[in-house]
């Protein structure tokens, strides 16, 4: 009887520890032309470490297929929506010319979704980056600013 209580206690402790593990990286969801994909950051930056290279590759860029003229819907989790973030996208014209959008910033801290629409129905979106920003203070100069802390990338093919 005593042995079964010890086993039960150890099992309960194991479940408690498993429930306390650190959450994984935030996932951004992209939906395009009938397909959905959830992605983790491709780049993460930790400015609290005083290193020359605070950013490191974290994952790989995912790929979806999309036809010309189709939009890309983006959904971000609370930890992204609760910070300044922006979207930058690239598109291909019918002549095969690649163009990049101006950044589309969100600073209201309550925006969870955005739909990227190609400039014309003949253009095809070829890449979308979601960039979360964090405030950084330069201890030696006292200056502060916003720098990207996480970047999620999606490439789109015809």
């Amino acid at each position: 009887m005593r042995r079964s209580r010890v086993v039960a206690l150890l099992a309960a402790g194991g479940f408690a520890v498993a429930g306390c593990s650190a959450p994984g990286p935030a996932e951004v969801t992209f939906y395009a032309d009938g397909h959905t994909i959830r992605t983790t950051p491709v780049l993460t930056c930790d400015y609290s470490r005083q290193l020359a290279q605070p950013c490191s590759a974290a994952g790989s860029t995912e790929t979806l297929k999309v036809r010309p003229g189709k939009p890309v819907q983006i959904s971000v989790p609370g930890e992204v929506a609760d910070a300044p973030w922006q979207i930058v996208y690239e598109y291909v014209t019918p002549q095969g010319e690649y163009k990049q959008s101006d950044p589309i910033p969100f600073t209201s801290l309550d925006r969870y979704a955005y739909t990227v629409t190609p400039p014309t129905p003949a253009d095809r979106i070829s890449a979308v980056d979601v960039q979360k920003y964090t405030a950084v203070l330069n201890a030696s100069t006292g200056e502060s600013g916003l720098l990207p802390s996480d970047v999620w990338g999606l490439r789109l093919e015809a």
Side-chain angles (χ1 to χ4, degrees):
M1 173 92 108
R2 181 178 169 106
R3 182 175 180 189
S4 63
R5 274 193 240 166
V6 171
V7 170
L9 185 59
L10 288 174
F15 288 126
V17 170
C20 294
S21 64
E27 292 183 331
V28 169
T29 303
F30 294 95
Y31 174 82
D33 208 1
H35 304 283
T36 301
I37 193 163
R38 294 175 63 115
T39 65
T40 56
V42 296
L43 182 72
T44 60
C45 303
D46 181 359
Y47 301 103
S48 65
R49 299 179 299 159
Q50 299 300 315
L51 301 174
Q53 297 289 328
C55 300
S56 61
S60 60
T61 302
E62 299 290 340
T63 304
L64 283 178
K65 290 190 177 211
V66 66
R67 292 173 287 166
K70 296 295 181 183
V72 176
Q73 297 172 339
I74 302 159
S75 177
V76 301
E79 75 178 75
V80 175
D82 291 343
W85 62 286
Q86 73 177 14
I87 294 170
V88 178
Y89 69 93
E90 181 182 84
Y91 63 96
V92 183
T93 66
Q95 295 77 27
E97 184 181 1
Y98 285 84
K99 295 187 176 188
Q100 184 172 320
S101 73
D102 289 330
I104 304 165
F106 304 101
T107 57
S108 65
L109 308 182
D110 64 353
R111 184 74 184 250
Y112 290 83
Y114 185 78
T115 300
V116 175
T117 304
T120 74
D123 295 330
R124 182 181 59 80
I125 297 171
S126 58
V128 179
D129 283 346
V130 173
Q131 304 164 349
K132 176 184 165 189
Y133 281 78
T134 189
V136 177
L137 174 66
N138 184 328
S140 61
T141 66
E143 295 178 355
S144 64
L146 293 174
L147 294 174
S149 59
D150 294 291
V151 177
W152 294 261
L154 177 69
R155 301 301 163 246
L156 297 118
E157 299 175 341

